[in-house]
Amino acid sequence: MKFMSTTGSRRLAPAYIAAATGLALALSACGGTTNTSSTAGGGAASSSSAAADPNAPIKEGLKVAFLPKQLNNSYFTVTDRGGKAAVGEYKGVFSEVGPSEASASSQVSYINTLTQQGSNVIATSANDPKAICSALDEARSAGAKVVTFDSDTDPSCRDLYINQATAEGIASTQIKLISDAIGPDGGDIAILSATANATNQNAWIELMKKELQKPEYAKLKLVATAYGDDNAQKSQQEVQALLQAHPTLKGIISPTTVGIAAAAQYLSGSEYKGKVQLTGLGFPSQLKEFLKNGTMKSFALWDVEKLGYLAAYAGAALASGQITGAEGQTFKAGTLGEFKVGPNATVLLGEPTVFTAANVDKYNF
Ligand code: RAM
């Protein structure tokens, strides 16, 4: 898979992320308003073959629903906060629904309900590439536009995928970080992932395996992949099991905000602190103490709030006829500016940022 930036030369570095929390400013206008969108529905949404009109105004009163992998995961609290801010800006009606655990088909019943309620936009991070496809097909037949963000479905099941950063960049960054943390002697490493079906984590794992084949990583050996299901307790149990089963383990990569926080917590209070390295994808606010107490040296993430904000604007652009999802079309995402649709109906947010003890205090998400 290849993802392309809209804004080609747009290089989004730490400063870009630093502005993230500014979005919170826009929160007040949204959500609670019972600005019911009785007319915003089916009309434009069902005109699948209509040409895109980049100058079409965003319709008022669009019903925009965010359906995360699971509700009790702070990653999605932040994406959905960004989504809510965007929906408030364009005077839509925001809602958030979702399961309490991230199993493959746990989102299906929520999609069905949203379809019945006449949602105009469903923005979802998929727990499985296929399990929600027929429910999404029904939603689209009923006139909804479907935007995936964070974790994609099969591309045929949605109108657009908002990618947080290229999968290749996310994978190579994590391998580089674990390699640097362990040092030139290398050794055995393991991955602590989220759920076994997650499209995003599985894509990154495949690309990390590919990256490990490069000569510079010849001394790193991936010995196991475990799944903590984005559940803190299970993630910690999996870390313990990895350490017991692989006494030679030198490092763990956890490409999930839930997994990495649980692993850091466990390692920090154990004999392995500073001996078994840990990196992956996590929130600066949750992990800074572990950078400072010697449990971790670095980790990465992207601007989570802006991911939700962009997804909400992309959904509105689709539902208002500004774009249809064809490559090369452009739309404006509020304060983030203009984005272009890349290949495979994908829009790219930016690039991952690496956090270390030296820069982590600059970030407050
Ligand atoms: C977890 C989820 C999410 C992933 C982040 C990095 O919160 O699994 O899908 O993108 O981690």
Side-chain angles (χ1 to χ4, degrees):
M1 260 194 283
K2 237 177 144 201
F3 300 113
M4 235 185 117
S5 169
T6 94
T7 40
S9 53
R10 184 193 277 260
R11 284 251 116 65
L12 306 171
Y16 173 81
I17 290 219
T21 38
L23 290 177
L25 290 177
L27 280 178
S28 53
C30 52
T33 343
T34 357
N35 192 3
T36 316
S37 52
S38 46
T39 54
S46 52
S47 52
S48 54
S49 57
D53 174 6
N55 298 317
I58 292 183
K59 293 183 173 183
E60 274 200 27
L62 289 174
K63 288 193 253 178
V64 181
F66 269 64
L67 172 56
K69 281 181 173 178
Q70 59 182 129
L71 284 184
N72 49 343
N73 174 343
S74 47
Y75 179 86
F76 294 108
T77 309
V78 181
T79 55
D80 296 6
R81 189 163 69 214
K84 187 176 180 185
V87 174
E89 284 174 12
Y90 59 71
K91 299 191 173 56
V93 180
F94 172 88
S95 65
E96 182 197 48
V97 292
S100 55
E101 40 114 339
S103 64
S105 55
S106 59
Q107 294 166 309
V108 169
S109 61
Y110 294 93
I111 297 168
N112 293 340
T113 303
L114 291 172
T115 304
Q116 281 158 19
Q117 292 170 345
S119 289
N120 302 112
V121 175
I122 299 176
T124 188
S125 170
N127 282 318
D128 182 281
K130 296 235 187 278
I132 59 174
C133 275
S134 57
L136 290 179
D137 285 347
E138 280 178 36
R140 293 169 80 194
S141 305
K145 296 297 179 187
V146 172
V147 176
T148 50
F149 67 94
D150 177 65
S151 182
D152 201 6
T153 55
D154 185 286
S156 65
C157 317
R158 45 72 173 166
D159 295 290
L160 213 54
Y161 170 51
I162 311 300
N163 197 7
Q164 48 269 60
T166 66
E168 289 81 0
I170 294 170
S172 63
T173 299
Q174 292 178 93
I175 296 297
K176 170 96 171 64
L177 294 181
I178 200 69
S179 174
D180 289 350
I182 292 174
D185 291 343
D188 291 347
I189 60 169
I191 292 174
L192 172 69
S193 188
T195 57
N197 294 321
T199 325
N200 55 342
Q201 266 91 10
N202 286 340
W204 302 333
I205 291 170
E206 278 319 299
L207 289 164
M208 286 197 274
K209 287 181 180 165
K210 222 169 128 190
E211 188 71 11
L212 283 171
Q213 287 162 14
K214 289 189 174 168
E216 61 261 46
Y217 300 126
K219 290 187 174 164
L220 288 179
K221 189 170 165 227
L222 179 65
V223 294
T225 300
Y227 299 92
D229 293 347
D230 273 349
N231 171 301
Q233 207 181 345
K234 176 148 195 290
S235 299
Q236 288 205 349
Q237 286 161 1
E238 293 294 333
V239 172
Q240 285 180 51
L242 283 172
L243 292 165
Q244 271 159 25
H246 304 279
T248 54
L249 208 62
K250 286 279 169 46
I252 298 173
I253 300 173
S254 188
T256 138
T257 55
V258 179
I260 197 171
Q265 193 80 49
Y266 180 77
L267 290 176
S268 153
S270 79
E271 64 192 283
Y272 303 102
K273 177 179 168 186
K275 297 193 182 109
V276 173
Q277 300 299 327
L278 172 67
T279 195
L281 304 172
F283 281 102
S285 58
Q286 289 178 355
L287 298 179
K288 70 167 110 184
E289 69 174 282
F290 303 109
L291 287 176
K292 292 180 179 178
N293 76 10
T295 306
M296 303 175 68
K297 293 178 180 161
S298 60
F299 59 92
L301 199 64
W302 42 85
D303 190 323
V304 181
E305 190 160 350
K306 284 188 177 170
L307 180 62
Y309 183 89
L310 176 55
Y313 265 100
L318 285 162
S320 304
Q322 292 176 350
I323 58 173
T324 59
E327 187 173 353
Q329 294 174 339
T330 58
F331 64 98
K332 190 161 176 289
T335 54
L336 296 185
E338 191 175 88
F339 284 78
K340 189 185 285 179
V341 179
N344 303 319
T346 296
V347 173
L348 181 68
L349 174 66
E351 291 176 6
T353 294
V354 172
F355 307 97
T356 64
N359 73 355
V360 72
D361 286 328
K362 289 198 293 187
Y363 302 96
N364 56 2
F365 65 98

